[in-house]
Amino acid sequence: MTQVIDVYDPSDPRLDDFRDLNSIDRRPDLPSGKGLVIAEGVLVVQRMLASRFEPRGFLGTDRRLGELSDDLERTEAPFYRASAEVMADVIGFHLNRGVLAAAPRPPELSISQVIEGARTIAVLEGVNDHENLGSVFRNAAGLGVDTVVFGLGCADPLYRRAVRVSMGHALLVPYAWANSWPGDIELLRDNGFRVLAMTPNPEAQTLATAMEGLARDRVAILVGAEGPGLHARTMRASDVRVRIPMARGTDSLNVATAAALAFYERARR
Amino acid sequence: MTQVIDVYDPSDPRLDDFRDLNSIDRRPDLPSGKGLVIAEGVLVVQRMLASRFEPRGFLGTDRRLGELSDDLERTEAPFYRASAEVMADVIGFHLNRGVLAAAPRPPELSISQVIEGARTIAVLEGVNDHENLGSVFRNAAGLGVDTVVFGLGCADPLYRRAVRVSMGHALLVPYAWANSWPGDIELLRDNGFRVLAMTPNPEAQTLATAMEGLARDRVAILVGAEGPGLHARTMRASDVRVRIPMARGTDSLNVATAAALAFYERARR
């Protein structure tokens, strides 16, 4: 069970894990050279506690401590209880959500680890916007995607804003980084995945037609960045090219929205 | 055709329509008490020129002037040509997109006007976040929704950030505000629309089942805010309650994403 420690002095060094939240993603003093993983708000802190990320400390108001009391029974990390004013002083702005947790970065998982038992995986290339990345995780969790694999050019899913936009699902949906790209697509295929590449190309199959034929297969859904889309080499490494039927005069959807439609079409069957 | 006017002095009053872009949505000096409608970037300026919003001026670099030269043949409004530095001084920050257009707000359209000929409309309640609102317009345009109707509690779709996130589709997809809410839902029904209300309620019909039966009908898709969802009264005023099948342990999707799935399921048939 957590130990509650009251803190009144914003300069208390025990709060350093939460200091200056706007630049907390850069921490050259930490082994990874990146920031700790930060969960904001009751729901996301709960999801962190249910994940493989182990908080090493919490900072929050008495009210949020009350809301989290059941969840905090399963952690030994200290809960620094502070007023909203002290919290604002530490983190650099007023945080409505009222509670934070900080966890070290655990070792990364491998593709082989995360695809074990997975039926549907999302594979991203060039998704370098943290909000889009967070949205992809939220959509993956909500629509039954088991795993996310990162190809080249993706942003850090543990960045604070990505975790927040994902509603904490970036901590729960397993993910792995490709070692070789697009080479690792072959690894997916070797494991029985049919690899679908999303494209605006009007000659591609529609999402509905493509998914129809694959209801019994393991499926990997490859999504590229909004502007450039998937690289030609990545496209060639896929099995099927699929498109979302778009209305006339429109070009594209947001990458997380396009992914959600593919996830939905897959889950529908 | 536009007249090109070179401007070197950031304090030139002819540039006032573009001054201090971060607070440009509040203009008590204008008849509506709201800001002008601002288009940012070549694509959105092009969409504004194709819309019912008539720019009264442009501010941009020589490069963007070149990219827009064909489009600018159909306007008489002046193009103030300036360096990126002068532009940044006027608008308050550096704008990568390099060009802006400003248009007065035309009279609002009525529900009767915007539903004429429409087969599928989106009806929003409590969508008070400008980015979500912009995303709904982008998704509506991309997935074949004809019109957007606003019930209570929605934000201004002409706010700068909403227009930007919509990729300019907030200027192209016709919309109207309800006069009476949820009373105006009756008006939709009187015009032959079947009214679907989105809900997380597990007893509701799935999106696929509900849309299946309505392929030949006019359909209104009612979407509420992410947290509270639709008001009970609004829910009662609808014909069918529909849900997106969600994975276990997840609660909801972003409102614009949920709307996109409904639009997609409608368009698929």
Side-chain angles (χ1 to χ4, degrees):
Chain A
M1 207 179 125
T2 190
Q3 189 192 350
V4 180
I5 300 168
D6 284 300
V7 182
Y8 305 97
D9 175 7
S11 68
D12 190 321
R14 291 175 299 179
L15 306 185
D16 283 354
D17 282 353
F18 305 102
R19 200 168 300 287
D20 193 5
L21 214 51
N22 275 327
S23 57
I24 208 158
D25 291 303
R26 296 177 293 281
R27 285 279 299 266
D29 54 312
L30 290 173
S32 63
K34 294 175 186 163
L36 297 165
V37 186
I38 302 288
E40 300 167 73
V42 168
L43 179 67
V44 180
V45 168
Q46 285 169 330
R47 288 193 172 141
M48 178 180 270
L49 283 163
S51 79
R52 69 189 182 97
F53 297 84
E54 288 186 25
R56 70 181 195 186
F58 304 85
L59 170 63
T61 61
D62 187 60
R63 178 170 155 212
R64 301 308 181 193
L65 173 62
E67 291 170 15
L68 282 165
S69 58
D70 287 354
D71 308 278
L72 292 168
E73 287 188 11
R74 60 179 117 157
T75 177
E76 297 303 314
F79 190 105
Y80 298 103
R81 178 166 55 187
S83 67
E85 292 69 35
V86 169
M87 277 186 73
D89 258 15
V90 174
I91 67 188
F93 55 88
H94 177 76
L95 184 86
N96 271 327
R97 298 178 186 81
V99 65
L100 298 163
R105 290 174 176 247
E108 297 284 359
L109 304 173
S110 70
I111 293 187
S112 304
Q113 285 175 300
V114 298
I115 64 176
E116 202 184 320
R119 279 199 72 242
T120 309
I121 68 178
V123 186
L124 309 182
E125 179 186 81
V127 180
N128 58 11
D129 176 277
H130 291 107
E131 293 199 21
N132 283 339
L133 207 57
S135 297
V136 169
F137 273 93
R138 184 178 182 188
N139 297 341
L143 297 166
V145 170
D146 303 303
T147 287
V148 178
V149 169
F150 295 119
L152 272 189
C154 292
D156 177 3
L158 303 182
Y159 193 88
R160 187 172 65 96
R161 199 192 305 170
V163 173
R164 185 178 66 219
V165 173
S166 82
M167 307 286 277
H169 290 296
L171 309 177
L172 287 168
V173 177
Y175 68 82
W177 292 85
N179 288 318
S180 147
W181 189 256
D184 277 349
I185 293 177
E186 206 50 53
L187 178 62
L188 300 177
R189 215 191 321 270
D190 290 347
N191 280 276
F193 284 92
R194 298 277 288 161
V195 181
L196 274 62
M198 305 274 290
T199 169
N201 189 331
E203 290 174 17
Q205 288 186 34
T206 65
L207 212 45
T209 306
M211 290 294 184
E212 183 76 53
L214 299 173
R216 289 160 184 277
D217 291 285
R218 303 181 95 179
V219 165
I221 299 163
L222 250 163
V223 188
E226 215 161 299
L230 292 163
H231 289 132
R233 280 183 62 203
T234 311
M235 204 63 97
R236 281 196 297 273
S238 69
D239 298 310
V240 192
R241 299 176 189 201
V242 296
R243 67 181 170 88
I244 296 164
M246 299 286 293
R248 271 177 50 167
T250 62
D251 26 30
S252 71
L253 293 167
N254 164 279
V255 59
T257 306
L261 296 178
F263 301 165
Y264 170 81
E265 187 63 74
R266 168 69 169 171
R268 215 164 51 76
R269 293 154 207 286
Chain B
M1 207 178 122
T2 192
Q3 188 192 349
V4 179
I5 300 169
D6 283 301
V7 181
Y8 304 98
D9 175 7
S11 68
D12 190 318
R14 291 175 299 180
L15 306 186
D16 283 355
D17 283 352
F18 306 102
R19 200 169 301 285
D20 194 6
L21 214 51
N22 274 329
S23 56
I24 209 160
D25 292 301
R26 295 178 292 281
R27 285 279 299 266
D29 55 312
L30 290 173
S32 64
K34 294 175 185 162
L36 297 164
V37 185
I38 302 288
E40 301 166 74
V42 168
L43 179 67
V44 179
V45 168
Q46 285 168 329
R47 290 193 171 141
M48 179 179 268
L49 283 163
S51 78
R52 69 189 183 96
F53 298 84
E54 288 186 25
R56 71 181 195 188
F58 304 85
L59 171 63
T61 60
D62 187 59
R63 179 170 154 211
R64 300 307 179 192
L65 173 63
E67 291 170 15
L68 282 165
S69 59
D70 288 352
D71 307 278
L72 291 168
E73 287 188 11
R74 60 178 118 157
T75 178
E76 296 303 314
F79 190 105
Y80 298 103
R81 179 167 54 187
S83 67
E85 293 69 33
V86 168
M87 277 187 72
D89 259 14
V90 173
I91 66 186
F93 55 88
H94 177 76
L95 185 86
N96 270 328
R97 297 179 186 80
V99 65
L100 297 164
R105 289 174 177 246
E108 298 284 0
L109 304 172
S110 69
I111 293 187
S112 305
Q113 284 175 303
V114 297
I115 65 176
E116 203 184 320
R119 279 200 71 242
T120 309
I121 69 178
V123 186
L124 309 182
E125 180 187 78
V127 180
N128 57 10
D129 176 277
H130 291 107
E131 293 198 21
N132 283 338
L133 207 57
S135 297
V136 169
F137 273 93
R138 183 177 183 188
N139 297 342
L143 298 166
V145 170
D146 303 302
T147 288
V148 178
V149 168
F150 294 120
L152 273 189
C154 291
D156 178 4
L158 303 182
Y159 193 87
R160 186 172 66 97
R161 199 191 306 169
V163 173
R164 183 178 67 220
V165 173
S166 82
M167 308 287 276
H169 290 296
L171 309 177
L172 287 168
V173 177
Y175 69 82
W177 292 83
N179 289 317
S180 148
W181 189 255
D184 277 350
I185 292 177
E186 207 49 53
L187 179 63
L188 299 176
R189 215 191 322 269
D190 289 347
N191 280 277
F193 283 93
R194 298 277 289 162
V195 181
L196 274 62
M198 305 274 290
T199 168
N201 189 331
E203 291 174 15
Q205 288 185 34
T206 65
L207 212 46
T209 306
M211 290 294 185
E212 183 76 53
L214 299 173
R216 290 160 184 276
D217 292 284
R218 304 180 95 180
V219 165
I221 299 164
L222 250 162
V223 190
E226 215 162 298
L230 292 164
H231 290 132
R233 282 182 62 202
T234 311
M235 204 63 98
R236 281 195 298 273
S238 68
D239 297 310
V240 191
R241 298 174 188 203
V242 297
R243 67 181 170 86
I244 297 163
M246 299 285 294
R248 272 176 51 165
T250 62
D251 26 30
S252 71
L253 294 166
N254 165 278
V255 58
T257 307
L261 296 179
F263 301 165
Y264 171 80
E265 186 62 74
R266 167 70 169 171
R268 215 165 50 77
R269 293 154 207 286

